[in-house]
């Protein structure tokens, strides 16, 4: 659907600007959860680490114990030759250029008209997609039309095994000049004139990958030859093409890894491309399109009166779907999804706090598998706690599939402990919205109990004052230093203790024998609950009753006031101007902290407390993390601050499309911001909430939005929500659909 000049289902690039190439590489990223790639042009002369193709869960060591997200061989490599001469379209005069991401069906389409140094004009069309139906399959179509000449056209469709990684240090200011290759080629098999397969092994983690590729010309008349050229393995396809006619080639690539639990992955990849090529491009695309249309049926948000908002929201949703491995509980979603290896491709609290609600309400199975990932890494979290001389389970700040801490900076890795309570919060949230009691009892409860035990050991008892302190802790505000009694962490930890108690009661009444076994396996003593109760009643919480204000931490008012306007330039993070260490002693906030806590547990705070928090914190929050705008939008909407809500919402929703933080090209798509945007719109602007097991809405819609329509799944039922803002007072209708 298109309103005005924007096609809200598409992202369109009309002019090729080399300085914007990285930005569009990020924006045009595609994926199907199992694998994904950036939107680079197939013929571009990229650095070996820039043409990124990722497979969820494939990591390899870059140093002892520390991994990077492996940039796997580039399956989209193309060289174009005219009369035997290589033609790089980006070194020609580009006469016409059009690139479009169609979010409706997940296809990236490009049409180029170029004039080369011999004045030959050539049209080069290209499309690429990852099948949403067949997760191992990626397909491209390449069509070349000489406009003012006839000639012999050769296309090399290959797999570039020279791909490398350029690991980015955790310290955002350190340069990243190192280039490493993380896999070896183990086999090359030119088994047909139009088909090849290659085997790879990651060097340290020993993950085996098989990639097969075949090229088919739907119209025939093309000679194929399977070749290896240095590290490029592929198919050369040649045809004499008359002026005005074309050569058209479809490429089918299949990827399997030893993580798939299939005995013969080479056979599987060969069978996949043979089968797909028999069915043909259109049929394979139609199957994938059907999956996309099912996805959009439940997750599309239709908005009348604001195309920028509708397009931006769709883009965020498109990326959330593309980077989620819906059926796989052994992976989560990295901070940049499958669009970049920034943060070493690691999983953070970003998933549970910012992205998860989107999946809970639109695809509970995906949400469940994201939480299963935490269950599958519970043992690693227990070991982590033991290594820190603590009890229960302590989840790592950043990790890959094995759940082992990957954060290399002490102040964050050891102190930003709130992630453990964030995960417990997410389990309860999932259970409350889906009613999935089986998951809760079989998996969730154990996490809730082990994380509660962790918190009981993480608080420190102060004998003199008979209270419990949360010492040496960093809240979501990473500029807040390693501080004392961060309110966000303390209150979520206390909530986690409550959830641990509830989980025990639930197991006792629903799975008594499981609880008895679990108890003895964990060495759990019922008396531990006495300590939990003591902490719940005596933990130190910074609260100013006169002002109704929750204070961020013990040190907050000791910090020096900063004239932000003198230092902050636009949206650029302040750590680029003021060193991270110095920032810790200024009273500025990197990203939503107390305000986020209130968004997570709204029933625990009064309206007065929420207003007081906004007044105290909003003006000194720098939003130096992309996670912050969405939370502020949601909170502002709850406070009925319409203008602020809309302004924050747009920053969050268009963060990547408009490159607001100026790092989308270099770092990929911000997935937490995508999730926060969705929440800001649904829970903030549309005001969706649950009371007494009923889905309700209290919208705070800007006047220019006339009509909003979307669906949500709550408690196993699908609901359609319609908000009509064209008459005053606005009308909300929530009804069930089949
Ligand atoms: C933010 C964290 C976030 C991480 C990954 C950091 O800049 O401060 O809250 O988890 O980025 O997105």
């Amino acid at each position: 659907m298109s309103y005005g000049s924007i096609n809200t289902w598409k992202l369109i690039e009309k002019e090729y600007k080399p300085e914007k190439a990285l930005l569009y590489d990020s924006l045009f990223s595609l994926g199907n959860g199992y694998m994904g790639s950036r939107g680079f042009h197939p013929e571009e002369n990229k650095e070996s680490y820039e043409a990124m193709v990722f497979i969820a869960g494939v990591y390899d060591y870059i140093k002892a114990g520390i991994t990077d997200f492996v940039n796997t061989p580039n399956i989209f490599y193309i060289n174009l030759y005219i009369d035997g001469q290589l033609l790089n379209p980006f070194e020609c005069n580009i006469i016409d250029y059009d690139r479009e991401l169609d979010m409706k069906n997940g296809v990236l389409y490009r049409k180029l008209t170029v004039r080369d140094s011999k004045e030959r004009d050539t049209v080069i069309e290209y499309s690429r997609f990852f099948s949403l139906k067949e997760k191992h399959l990626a397909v491209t179509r390449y069509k070349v039309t000489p406009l003012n000449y006839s000639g012999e056209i050769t296309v090399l469709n290959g797999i570039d095994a020279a791909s490398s990684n350029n690991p980015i240090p955790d310290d955002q200011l350190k340069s990243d000049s190192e280039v490493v290759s993380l896999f070896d080629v183990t086999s090359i098999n030119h088994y047909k004139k139009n088909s090849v397969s290659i085997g790879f092994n990651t060097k340290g983690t020993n993950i085996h990958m098989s990639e097969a590729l075949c090229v088919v010309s739907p119209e025939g008349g093309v000679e194929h030859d399977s070749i290896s050229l240095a590290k490029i393995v592929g198919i050369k396809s040649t045809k004499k093409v008359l002026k005005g006619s074309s050569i058209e080639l479809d490429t089918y690539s299949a990827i399997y890894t030893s993580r798939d639990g299939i005995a013969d992955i080479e056979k599987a990849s060969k069978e996949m491309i043979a089968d797909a090529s028999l069915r043909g491009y259109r049929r394979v695309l139609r199957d994938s399109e059907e999956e996309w249309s099912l996805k959009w049926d439940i997750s599309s948000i239709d908005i009348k009166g604001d195309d920028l908002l509708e397009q931006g929201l769709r883009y965020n949703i498109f990326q959330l779907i593309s980077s989620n491995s819906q059926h796989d509980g052994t992976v989560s979603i990295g901070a940049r999804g499958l669009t970049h290896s920034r943060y070493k491709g690691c999983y953070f609290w970003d998933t549970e706090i910012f992205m998860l609600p989107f999946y809970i309400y639109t695809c509970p199975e995906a949400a469940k598998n994201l939480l299963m990932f935490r269950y599958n890494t519970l043992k690693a979290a227990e070991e982590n706690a033991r290594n820190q001389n603590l009890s229960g389970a302590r989840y790592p700040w950043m990790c890959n599939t094995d759940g082992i801490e990957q954060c290399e900076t002490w102040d964050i890795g050891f102190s930003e402990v709130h992630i453990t309570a964030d995960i417990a919060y997410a389990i309860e949230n999932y259970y409350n919205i889906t009613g999935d009691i089986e998951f809760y009892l079989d998996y969730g409860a154990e996490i809730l109990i082990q994380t509660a035990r962790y918190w009981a050991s993480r608080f420190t008892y102060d004998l003199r004052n008979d209270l419990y302190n949360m010492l040496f802790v960093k809240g979501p505000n990473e500029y807040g230093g390693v501080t004392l009694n961060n309110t966000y962490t303390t209150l979520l930890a206390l909530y986690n203790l409550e959830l641990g108690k509830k989980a025990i009661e639930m197991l006792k009444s629903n799975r008594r024998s499981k609880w008895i076994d679990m108890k003895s396996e964990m060495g759990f003593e019922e008396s531990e609950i006495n300590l939990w109760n003591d902490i719940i009643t005596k933990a130190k919480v910074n609260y100013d009753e006169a002002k109704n204000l929750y204070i961020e931490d013990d040190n907050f008012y000791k910090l020096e006031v900063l004239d932000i306007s003198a230092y902050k330039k636009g949206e650029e993070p302040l750590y680029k101007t003021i060193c991270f260490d110095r920032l810790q002693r200024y009273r500025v906030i990197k990203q939503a902290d107390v305000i986020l806590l209130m968004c997570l547990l709204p029933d625990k705070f009064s309206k007065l407390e929420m207003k007081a928090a906004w007044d105290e914190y909003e003006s000194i929050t720098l939003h130096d993390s992309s996670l912050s705008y969405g939370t502020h939008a949601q909170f502002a909407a709850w406070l009925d601050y319409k203008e602020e809500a809309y302004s924050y919402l747009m920053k969050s929703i268009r963060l990547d499309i408009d490159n607001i933080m100026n790092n989308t090209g270099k770092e990929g798509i911000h997935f937490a911001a995508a999730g926060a945007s969705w929440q800001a719109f649904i829970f903030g602007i549309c005001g969706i909430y649950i009371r007494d097991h009923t889905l309700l809405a209290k919208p705070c819609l800007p006047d220019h939005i006339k009509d909003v329509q979307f669906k949500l799944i709550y408690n196993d039922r699908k609901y359609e929500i319609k908000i009509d803002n064209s008459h005053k007072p606005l009308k909300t209708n929530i009804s069930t659909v089949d």
Side-chain angles (χ1 to χ4, degrees):
M1 221 177 298
S2 156
Y3 301 102
S5 58
I6 295 176
N7 182 333
T8 59
W9 279 108
K10 287 190 174 173
L11 213 60
I12 299 175
E13 183 194 23
K14 278 287 183 200
E15 194 186 344
Y16 178 73
K17 290 192 180 153
E19 69 278 12
K20 292 214 160 167
L22 276 185
L23 172 64
Y24 280 102
D25 279 5
S26 285
L27 291 177
F28 288 145
S29 293
L30 297 178
N32 63 5
Y34 180 83
M35 53 187 172
S37 82
R38 287 167 65 73
F40 54 87
H41 292 279
E43 320 87 339
E44 251 175 329
N45 255 336
K46 288 259 175 212
E47 296 290 347
S48 60
Y49 50 82
E50 282 179 338
M52 297 184 197
V53 180
F54 298 108
I55 306 171
V58 176
Y59 295 83
D60 195 41
Y61 294 108
I62 46 173
K63 56 179 108 157
I66 298 296
T67 59
D68 204 4
F69 196 20
V70 178
N71 178 22
T72 63
N74 172 12
I75 47 174
F76 299 122
Y77 185 90
I78 290 183
N79 271 173
L80 169 63
Y81 302 85
I82 297 179
D83 291 330
Q85 252 192 339
L86 182 67
L87 181 109
N88 179 342
F90 298 95
E91 286 168 5
C92 297
N93 179 8
I94 299 178
I95 302 170
D96 205 15
Y97 181 91
D98 179 30
R99 196 154 55 141
E100 301 188 356
L101 167 64
D102 189 338
M103 296 185 266
K104 214 170 202 169
N105 63 3
V107 177
L108 179 63
Y109 173 76
R110 183 205 74 187
K111 186 172 181 186
L112 267 182
T113 307
V114 298
R115 179 164 299 160
D116 64 24
S117 54
K118 294 183 178 155
E119 299 288 310
R120 291 177 301 201
D121 293 349
T122 312
V123 180
I124 312 165
E125 286 163 88
Y126 176 67
S127 54
R128 169 198 290 179
F129 66 93
F130 289 92
S131 168
L132 202 61
K133 169 120 184 162
E134 293 150 296
K135 63 181 188 178
H136 299 278
L137 186 64
V139 182
T140 69
R141 170 163 275 189
Y142 199 68
K143 182 173 171 188
V144 185
T145 311
L147 287 184
N148 57 359
Y149 66 97
S150 300
E152 185 184 77
I153 296 189
T154 301
V155 179
L156 165 62
N157 280 286
I159 299 176
D160 179 3
S163 305
S164 63
N165 275 56
N166 175 213
I168 305 179
D170 288 355
D171 178 343
Q172 315 201 351
L173 293 178
K174 271 197 187 148
S175 67
D176 46 349
S177 52
E178 191 195 4
V179 175
V180 285
S181 153
L182 298 178
F183 56 83
D184 294 316
V185 176
T186 52
S187 64
I188 298 178
N189 185 352
H190 296 277
Y191 63 101
K192 275 189 188 170
K193 273 193 166 313
N194 72 338
S195 313
V196 286
S197 79
I198 321 188
F200 308 92
N201 235 44
T202 56
K203 290 180 175 166
T205 47
N206 202 22
I207 298 172
H208 189 50
M209 303 174 265
S210 171
E211 304 196 354
L213 172 144
C214 79
V215 180
V216 175
S217 156
E219 282 155 10
V222 174
E223 288 273 308
H224 299 292
D225 194 11
S226 178
I227 56 126
S228 295
L229 271 178
K231 285 206 158 184
I232 313 290
V233 180
I235 313 296
K236 264 192 167 176
S237 309
T238 306
K239 183 181 179 183
K240 287 210 173 349
V241 186
L242 293 176
K243 183 166 107 181
S245 49
S246 314
I247 172 172
E248 189 172 57
L249 301 164
D250 295 339
T251 303
Y252 303 87
S253 312
I255 301 183
Y256 282 79
T257 82
S258 48
R259 297 189 72 256
D260 297 323
I262 289 173
D264 190 342
I265 58 172
E266 184 178 340
K267 185 163 166 259
S269 60
K270 285 177 174 171
E271 281 175 2
M272 174 96 260
I273 56 166
D275 180 63
S277 59
L278 270 182
R279 281 180 286 142
Y281 182 92
R282 282 190 194 288
R283 179 69 203 282
V284 172
L285 174 59
R286 208 170 50 228
D287 288 346
S288 176
E289 282 177 339
E290 270 170 27
E291 287 299 307
W292 272 109
S293 91
L294 290 175
K295 283 281 177 206
W296 283 119
D297 177 59
I298 181 66
S299 50
S300 177
I301 299 175
D302 303 326
I303 301 167
K304 278 208 186 91
D306 197 328
D307 290 354
L308 284 176
L309 173 61
E310 186 178 63
Q311 182 205 37
L313 259 174
R314 287 206 174 124
Y315 183 73
N316 288 311
I317 293 168
F318 173 79
Q319 288 298 350
L320 285 167
I321 294 171
S322 303
S323 276
N324 170 237
S325 212
Q326 176 182 337
H327 309 291
D328 186 354
T330 69
V331 293
S332 186
I333 304 171
R336 300 293 180 264
L338 300 173
T339 73
H340 204 281
S341 51
R342 170 82 177 107
Y343 291 116
K344 302 179 286 206
C346 282
Y347 314 139
F348 289 77
W349 69 313
D350 299 33
T351 311
E352 284 77 13
I353 294 298
F354 297 92
M355 301 176 218
L356 194 78
F358 164 74
Y359 301 108
I360 297 181
Y361 279 103
T362 61
C363 182
E365 188 206 351
K368 176 179 168 170
N369 276 319
L370 289 167
L371 294 173
M372 278 308 293
F373 167 74
R374 295 301 186 179
Y375 181 79
N376 289 330
T377 53
L378 179 60
K379 290 283 162 263
E382 288 171 10
E383 193 176 331
N384 198 14
R386 267 197 304 280
N387 290 341
Q388 292 172 21
N389 300 94
L390 295 164
S391 311
R394 192 282 205 211
Y395 281 97
W397 176 241
M398 358 183 347
C399 68
N400 68 46
T401 49
D402 60 15
I404 293 172
E405 183 63 76
Q406 293 293 312
C407 182
E408 294 171 86
T409 53
W410 178 85
D411 66 326
I412 291 179
F414 277 92
S415 314
E416 199 157 349
V417 289
H418 60 81
I419 183 165
T420 295
D422 299 329
I423 290 168
Y425 170 89
I427 289 168
E428 178 71 6
N429 197 22
Y430 168 79
Y431 170 58
N432 284 338
I433 295 158
T434 61
D436 185 351
I437 181 99
E438 299 303 318
F439 170 82
Y440 183 93
L441 295 171
D442 291 342
Y443 309 105
E446 193 175 341
I447 298 181
L448 295 174
I449 296 165
Q450 286 294 57
T451 48
R453 294 176 95 191
Y454 161 72
W455 289 115
S457 65
R458 183 59 174 78
F459 278 98
T460 304
Y461 182 59
D462 172 356
L463 184 62
R464 220 171 37 158
N465 297 303
D466 187 26
L467 52 78
Y468 292 87
N469 285 302
M470 176 63 67
L471 301 178
F472 311 117
V473 65
K474 191 181 264 298
N477 169 19
E478 291 183 344
Y479 292 166
V482 175
T483 186
L484 309 177
N485 296 315
N486 167 258
T487 301
Y488 175 98
T489 311
T490 298
L491 288 187
L492 270 188
L494 299 184
Y495 182 60
N496 195 163
L497 289 171
E498 298 281 8
L499 296 180
K501 282 172 33 180
K502 173 178 161 188
I504 292 170
E505 289 312 312
M506 291 281 280
L507 285 170
K508 277 184 184 166
S509 39
N510 295 285
R511 293 271 202 283
R512 183 151 274 282
S513 67
K514 180 183 166 94
W515 169 235
I516 290 167
D517 292 348
M518 198 191 274
K519 230 167 88 166
S520 85
E521 211 174 293
M522 292 175 176
F524 184 84
E525 302 287 342
E526 296 278 341
S527 58
E528 290 183 38
I529 299 175
N530 299 337
L531 174 63
W532 300 6
N533 284 329
D534 207 37
I535 295 174
I536 290 169
T537 48
K538 294 182 190 159
K540 179 170 179 205
V541 177
N542 283 299
Y543 184 65
D544 181 337
E545 278 192 35
K547 292 186 178 159
N548 301 303
L549 181 68
Y550 279 89
I551 299 161
E552 196 177 277
D553 58 44
D554 281 8
N555 292 338
F556 191 69
Y557 290 111
K558 295 182 190 132
L559 300 171
E560 188 180 333
V561 171
L562 179 74
D563 174 9
I564 295 170
S565 62
Y567 292 94
K568 176 105 173 157
K569 298 178 201 122
E571 308 302 327
E572 189 180 87
L574 205 55
Y575 60 73
K576 299 214 165 148
T577 323
I578 301 178
C579 114
F580 213 89
D581 175 64
R582 183 65 187 94
L583 276 171
Q584 318 283 309
R585 293 184 299 283
Y586 283 124
R587 199 185 309 154
V588 288
I589 300 176
K590 184 183 178 196
Q591 64 201 89
D593 192 297
V594 173
I595 285 181
L596 174 60
L597 172 72
M598 293 182 161
C599 283
L600 297 180
L601 297 172
D603 294 342
K604 292 197 184 287
F605 304 98
S606 69
K607 200 74 184 251
L608 276 179
E609 287 166 345
M610 290 189 175
K611 274 197 177 5
W614 177 272
D615 291 344
E616 188 72 9
Y617 301 122
E618 190 264 343
S619 62
I620 53 168
T621 303
L622 302 171
H623 312 289
D624 282 359
S625 155
S626 63
L627 283 55
S628 195
Y629 294 126
T631 307
H632 277 76
Q634 181 176 333
F635 200 62
W638 285 357
L639 293 174
D640 266 326
Y641 299 157
K642 266 194 191 178
E643 249 172 58
E644 288 90 338
Y646 184 71
S647 151
Y648 277 123
L649 177 77
M650 291 310 272
K651 278 190 179 161
S652 184
I653 277 176
R654 300 200 56 93
L655 189 104
D656 287 313
I657 299 187
D658 295 341
N659 194 18
I660 286 180
M661 295 192 85
N662 200 22
N663 63 5
T664 295
K666 218 172 161 263
E667 298 194 1
I669 302 302
H670 298 77
F671 277 74
S677 300
W678 185 89
Q679 295 193 59
F681 188 75
I682 300 292
F683 305 138
I685 305 293
C686 299
I688 295 293
Y689 67 102
I690 292 162
R691 184 77 72 243
D692 300 329
H693 306 288
T694 311
L695 205 58
L696 298 164
K698 190 175 173 293
C700 171
L701 233 52
D703 294 342
H704 70 274
I705 296 180
K706 298 294 167 229
D707 185 299
V708 179
Q709 213 166 308
F710 58 91
K711 290 183 186 141
L712 294 177
I713 301 171
Y714 169 57
N715 232 330
D716 230 8
R717 301 198 72 171
K718 211 184 268 179
Y719 291 83
E720 185 157 46
I721 295 96
K722 291 183 184 169
I723 306 173
D724 179 356
N725 197 24
S726 53
H727 307 283
K728 298 283 166 241
L730 62 70
K731 267 196 261 154
T732 308
N733 188 297
I734 302 183
S735 52
T736 50
V737 278
D738 297 333

